[in-house]
Amino acid sequence: MKTRQKKSIRAKNYANKSSHVCPICCIIPPHMMDHIIMHGNDKMRAYALQTLRSSEQFRGKREVMGNVSFAVSPGQKRRTVYDAAEGETLPGALIRAEDGPPSRDIAVNEAYDGAGATYDLFHDVFERNSIDDQGLRLDSTVHYGTRYDNAFWNGNQMVYGDGDGQLFNRFTIAIDVIGHELTHGVTQYEAGLIYKGESGALNESFSDVFGSLVKQRSLNQSVNQADWLIGAGLLAPGVNGAALRSLKEPGTAYDDPMLGKDPQPAFYKDLYRGSQDNGGVHINSSIPNHAFYLAAMEIGGFAWEKTGKIWYIALRDTLRSRANFRRAASATINIAGELYGQSSEEQLAVRNAWKTVGVI
Amino acid sequence: MEEKSMRITVQRTGGFTAIPITKTVDVTAMPTNEATQLRQMVEAADFFDLPAEIPSTSQPDRFVYQISVEQEGKRHSVTVGETAMGPDMKSLVDLLMKSGH
């Protein structure tokens, strides 16, 4: 996260290239920064103080903004889309606000429409008023960074890169990517699943599941019509793959000389146990993803109506920040029983799904 | 002027796509400008004294970089999240991602 102040630090460093200002110490953690302030030489101290100040300003802003709740009428959808113009200063220039005319920029309109479809799923189906259930304005920034191959939720807003054009297209191209990012916001306000290991993989999985449901609902697709893919259209022409992840057939989304092969396992016995990717949060998410797919297929109809509701209530009311896959399994099985009856077809479907993927 | 042998590898993991990308540069074989720039960045950072893992605030779908420097038989790796990278660290990583193979 760069602030305007950090930009000026950067400019200053370039101007003083011959001096010995540490060009990398802004990556130093706060406790080391304290040490530098106490024991470093003058230049180090000045640098550390400036860095600390700008990051604390940023944290302060988040704390203040996080505690202010603006009065909004229930169920009001408010979206804004900004353009970072290939820079990294957020949010960038305002391009489109709620009820404003469409832009000539396709990424702006995709971010706007995708945020709207996500808002509508949570509002119309789950009776949730935006990310925080208090009408939070949905802010998106497009054209973040140069050829940036990523999209993320930074705790306050969605951010989308343009992709490098060789491997990835712009990240707004897939509506499920937009639903995915916004769902990270919902998870942050609800279960708060810690982004590491199994709880992190659950965090990712909820984002994929609701991302896919946003797409399915926007296309009015039943479980049999849905593609169950995440990021269809995101891979650039010439890349061998349909998408980034498949809830239906984990591990089959792509297989390409440049990208390698989709590493996602379908079954718990194949869980990735390494340290990469926060302990494989984007790898192991396929196990709960596939459980959702299996349950949805057995329950049938529109996946958001019953299966989606079970998963949503687990996220909102039951799961806590350290939940693992077994907790998610028991939560969704219990909720299915409460909603549709003990030993109902729905509850059996959810139990079967978790059994098939080997979690229970 | 004789330069010490130096190889730098950067591995990017995580991100929405979660597709790891690894780039390696042999600094000894690089054009002088870039090589000098990289050597200065590594030296000024006291790279070999940086902790193996630099904590960062965890944001979903952000990249994580592991930078490894091999110099004259010494080897050190530093893992840092995108959110903990200041502009200068970012410049280093950008340069590596651009110039590496």
Side-chain angles (χ1 to χ4, degrees), chain A residues 214-251:
Chain A
V214 168
K215 178 174 177 178
Q216 292 175 31
R217 186 165 181 266
S218 73
L219 297 170
N220 201 36
Q221 289 176 330
S222 70
V223 295
N224 293 306
Q225 294 166 320
D227 65 12
W228 295 100
L229 294 171
I230 297 298
L234 188 57
L235 298 176
V239 175
N240 186 34
L244 281 174
R245 296 186 275 277
S246 167
L247 284 73
K248 182 179 180 178
E249 296 173 284

Side-chain angles (χ1 to χ4, degrees), chain A residues 2 7 14 26 37 40 48-49 57 72 104 110 113 129 132 204 226 232 244 293 328 336 345 349 352:
Chain A
K2 264 186 210 169
K7 282 251 185 207
Y14 279 117
C26 40
I37 290 165
L49 278 169
Q57 262 176 11
V72 285
R104 277 193 301 260
E110 285 169 342
D113 294 340
N129 182 12
D132 60 348
E204 271 302 307
L244 281 174
Y293 164 81
E345 282 178 14
N352 287 341

